[in-house]
Amino acid sequence: MSAGEVVAEGVAAKLLARVEHAIKGPLWGCQMCGQCVLHSTGLTCPMTCPKTLRNGPCGGVRPDGHCEVRPEMRCVWVKAYERADRLPLWREHIDELRPPVDRRLEGSSSWLNLLSGRDRERPAGWEAAEAHV
Amino acid sequence: MSELARKLDAGAFVVTAEMPVIDGGGISEVLRQLEPMRPYVDAYNATDNPAAHAHASSLAVSLALLRAGAEPIMQLSCRDRNRLALQADLVGASMHGVENVSCMTGDDVGAGDEPQAKRVFDLDGPQLIALARGLTRGRYLSGRALVPAPRFVIGAVENPGAPPLEHRVRRAAKKALAGARFLQLQLCFRPELLERFISAAFELGLCERVALIPSVCILRSARAMRFVAEHVPGIEVPASTLARVEQAPDAEEECFELAFELASHALAQPGVAGLHFISFRKDAGIAKLCARLGIPPRSERESDGHRAPLAV
């Protein structure tokens, strides 16, 4: 690949990230983690949780279903379970154990990472960790 | 294998307790706090900056407990450390013989006295459980080999009293799936919510995979109870319970009665593997409560094979 092509690819990736954010920001409060799991969390972005929890609600949810950290906001995971139950697809995906976030992907386009398979790369030890034998 | 694991595997009833937080006073302070609990308690939670207040670290307190011949359950929260620090503390703890660990997300920094701090949450609770399990299989998260692999009895926590109530048990199931062997349940001043959670867990067959250990707190005053109600995240104290303690002629005695009632109720639930106690009393509150509940001291439980009150 020539230097020109590398630059062009970088520009295209940045542009795509901006387009993605322009769409998913207003809709879901997308935080551009670069490894989108919206479909498995009832179309509710877990990165809008102040603790950025990917695997369900913390123990601090208030009796009214609002967030421990931001009392004015409904708990992201209370919403996620409600919405997942209403989805025609992917309903059970919410119970899957999602791996740690790859912080290097922050700010990049999850669409691009989905196409390239980059968002499915796991730390090599995660397989040993998650496998239930 | 830790004594806690041995007992859980044998289906024996377990008693765990919270070590009070340690600031000054050194090892002798740990011993002083430990002594009144010793006759009854199988393992002690060394807490990890509870409610986001800094104290002596859970690793240091765990080591002090080991030195005193007591078995620690080292808590690790995701609030203050990234994945590197979490693994370092786990492997380091194992080096000294700590086996029981309890993996949790952690209260937010906003609950503590240093709300200016950076919240980390590089991992979440279930991911930390899986990470600990990966270590026991001889792999760091990176995949790098760890030989010989450390031995951990991995525990976690769950809050039966926090929304989404109908889905809480699914999060507990996820923690079991990630590798939790026991779940210490958050204090619950609404017995009907604990009952709901445990019966859902029982129906799901979760009680066979993970030991459920409800928590009971022995407070000392109406003021302390109000503090818990208002400042500890995820704990709801019904107004009637608060009023009951506030109007009692002897608040400390009333708190003890309340703890007895909640503990009796928890014990009556099918599938409960033990109880976790947190006492703020100056005297041997946990020993007194165990005696009142009919839980024999450790030495007697071991000889007569006291079983978990499993209603099958």
Side-chain angles (χ1 to χ4, degrees), chain B residues 29-288:
Chain B
E29 177 61 10
V30 175
L31 291 175
R32 192 182 71 79
Q33 297 283 4
L34 183 65
E35 227 38 59
M37 301 190 263
R38 274 198 130 140
Y40 285 90
V41 177
D42 296 305
Y44 304 82
N45 283 25
T47 54
D48 183 12
N49 293 348
H53 289 66
H55 297 285
S57 74
S58 61
L59 176 55
V61 173
S62 294
L63 298 190
L65 285 167
L66 280 178
R67 208 162 120 179
E71 194 165 297
I73 299 172
M74 185 178 83
Q75 291 188 346
L76 269 181
S77 111
C78 297
R79 178 194 55 235
D80 307 325
R81 302 174 189 81
N82 70 4
R83 61 194 83 180
L84 293 177
L86 289 166
Q87 291 178 96
D89 277 351
L90 281 165
V91 174
S94 166
M95 180 171 94
H96 288 277
V98 174
E99 288 191 17
N100 309 316
V101 294
S102 177
C103 304
M104 58 192 66
T105 301
D107 298 324
D108 186 67
V109 293
D113 55 358
E114 298 185 53
Q116 308 86 346
K118 179 175 172 64
R119 53 176 74 93
V120 181
F121 300 113
D122 184 29
L123 303 183
D124 60 28
Q127 291 165 351
L128 178 57
I129 296 166
L131 174 138
R133 180 167 65 179
L135 294 175
T136 66
R137 292 171 174 171
R139 294 281 163 194
Y140 283 99
L141 190 57
S142 67
R144 182 156 45 88
L146 178 58
V147 187
R151 262 196 313 216
F152 289 125
V153 182
I154 305 165
V157 293
E158 191 47 75
N159 188 346
L165 296 171
E166 63 281 22
H167 297 303
R168 271 290 156 188
V169 81
R170 285 165 70 177
R171 179 152 157 94
K174 186 183 271 197
K175 289 179 175 175
L177 190 75
R181 174 73 188 83
F182 64 92
L183 285 180
Q184 290 173 314
L185 306 180
Q186 177 61 291
L187 295 178
C188 191
F189 287 93
R190 291 183 59 193
E192 72 281 10
L193 296 186
L194 179 71
E195 195 166 330
R196 175 180 178 172
F197 176 86
I198 293 182
S199 67
F202 194 73
E203 272 169 37
L204 215 65
L206 198 57
C207 301
E208 288 135 43
R209 286 185 284 143
V210 61
L212 298 183
I213 306 174
S215 300
V216 174
C217 184
I218 315 171
L219 292 162
R220 284 178 59 211
S221 65
R223 223 183 84 206
M225 182 168 275
R226 191 166 280 283
F227 181 85
V228 169
E230 288 169 6
H231 297 289
V232 182
I235 300 182
E236 183 190 4
V237 182
S240 57
T241 307
L242 205 52
R244 173 181 157 186
V245 173
E246 272 169 350
Q247 286 155 15
D250 182 342
E252 185 162 1
E253 198 43 44
E254 199 62 32
C255 284
F256 187 81
E257 279 306 309
L258 179 68
F260 172 71
E261 287 165 24
L262 291 171
S264 307
H265 173 266
L267 277 177
Q269 305 308 309
V272 163
L275 283 181
H276 177 68
F277 295 103
I278 304 158
S279 175
F280 291 96
R281 284 172 72 110
K282 299 248 181 262
D283 64 356
I286 291 174
K288 210 171 131 187

Side-chain angles (χ1 to χ4, degrees), chain A residues 37 40-41 46 53-56 77 81 92-101 122 126 130, chain B residues 124 126-127 174:
Chain A
V37 290
S40 64
T41 55
L53 303 182
R54 307 271 280 192
N55 284 294
W77 281 96
Y81 278 110
E92 306 304 322
H93 288 217
I94 200 164
D95 291 325
E96 286 169 2
L97 180 63
R98 279 168 285 278
V101 172
R122 309 277 179 255
W126 181 251
E130 72 162 351
Chain B
D124 60 28
Q127 291 165 351
K174 186 183 271 197

